[in-house]
């Protein structure tokens, strides 16, 4: 950790477990102060955002928007697992609960696009992830990747019967 420019403080740890042990022993206020200082001295956009997310006291629409934009940039670059993590952080930071569900679906979709079935499945199991055609399409895709053609067909038909045109288009691919 380096704080300030030029550095007022620079700390390195011999092992990652030591760093996490020390950080976890700090009070919440100390961790927030440390992350805020790290934001100012971050060398990359990702590093600064990671520290901003870590010290966010709760939902923050402006931060959620920036984190979502970065997650979508990562998806456009083909970094799907990283993208899904950022989009998931944006969902957690979103102050408007109705906006959270679609972001969780996008989180699962990004993970699945990269072939990360476990991450997608875990996100789809979250009770805040909305039920519906798009979720059915994503679950059908996971079933298909697992080799469960019967479950994939049932879920794809449910997605196809939904009012969601994206779910219908995806279901058509799974069913073909």
């Amino acid at each position: 950790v380096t704080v300030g420019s030029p550095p007022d403080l620079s700390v390195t740890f011999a092992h990652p477990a030591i760093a996490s042990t020390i950080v976890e022993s700090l009070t919440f206020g100390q961790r927030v102060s440390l992350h805020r200082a790290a934001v100012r001295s971050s060398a990359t956009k990702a590093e600064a955002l990671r520290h901003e997310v870590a010290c966010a006291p709760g939902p923050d629409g402006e931060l959620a928007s920036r984190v979502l934009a970065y997650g979508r940039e990562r998806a456009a670059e083909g970094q799907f697992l990283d993208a899904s993590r950022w989009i998931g952080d944006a969902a957690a930071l979103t102050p408007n609960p109705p906006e959270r569900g679609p972001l969780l679906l996008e989180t699962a979709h990004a993970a699945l696009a990269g072939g990360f079935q476990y991450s997608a499945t875990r996100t789809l199991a979250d009770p805040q992830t909305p039920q519906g055609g798009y979720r059915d399409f994503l679950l059908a895709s996971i079933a298909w990747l697992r080799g469960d053609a019967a479950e994939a067909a049932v879920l794809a038909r449910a997605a196809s019967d939904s009012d969601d045109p994206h779910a219908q288009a995806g279901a058509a691919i799974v069913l073909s």
Side-chain angles (χ1 to χ4, degrees):
V1 177
T2 302
V3 179
S5 181
D8 297 324
L9 172 68
S10 184
V11 180
T12 57
F13 301 100
H15 192 276
I18 294 171
S20 65
T21 300
I22 291 171
V23 169
E24 290 303 315
S25 71
L26 299 173
T27 67
F28 176 74
Q30 290 170 323
R31 283 194 306 267
V32 167
S33 294
L34 186 62
H35 283 295
R36 285 187 179 147
V39 168
R40 292 189 298 274
S41 63
S42 294
T44 66
K45 180 180 185 177
E47 185 180 346
L49 277 174
R50 183 175 59 81
H51 287 294
E52 283 188 77
V53 168
C55 70
D60 179 331
E62 188 273 329
L63 179 57
S65 294
R66 289 189 292 119
V67 169
L68 178 59
Y70 185 70
R72 288 176 175 163
E73 283 176 31
R74 297 299 288 157
E77 295 166 355
Q79 300 299 317
F80 296 111
L81 184 59
D82 194 38
S84 73
R85 289 181 184 136
W86 287 108
I87 297 166
D89 284 344
L93 288 164
T94 300
N96 187 358
E99 294 174 6
R100 196 166 293 130
L103 290 176
L104 289 171
L105 289 170
E106 187 175 347
T107 298
H109 194 149
L112 191 56
F116 300 98
Q117 295 176 47
Y118 175 75
S119 295
T121 302
R122 189 180 66 230
T123 300
L124 293 170
D126 185 317
Q128 292 186 39
T129 304
Q131 303 291 317
Y134 192 53
R135 182 177 183 275
D136 289 338
F137 155 64
L138 294 172
L139 289 170
S141 299
I142 292 168
W144 182 80
L145 289 168
R146 267 196 337 257
D148 190 341
E151 183 180 355
V154 168
L155 290 162
R157 277 193 283 283
S160 183
D161 292 342
S162 76
D163 294 331
D164 184 337
H166 296 98
Q168 293 167 353
I173 293 168
V174 174
L175 289 169
S176 63

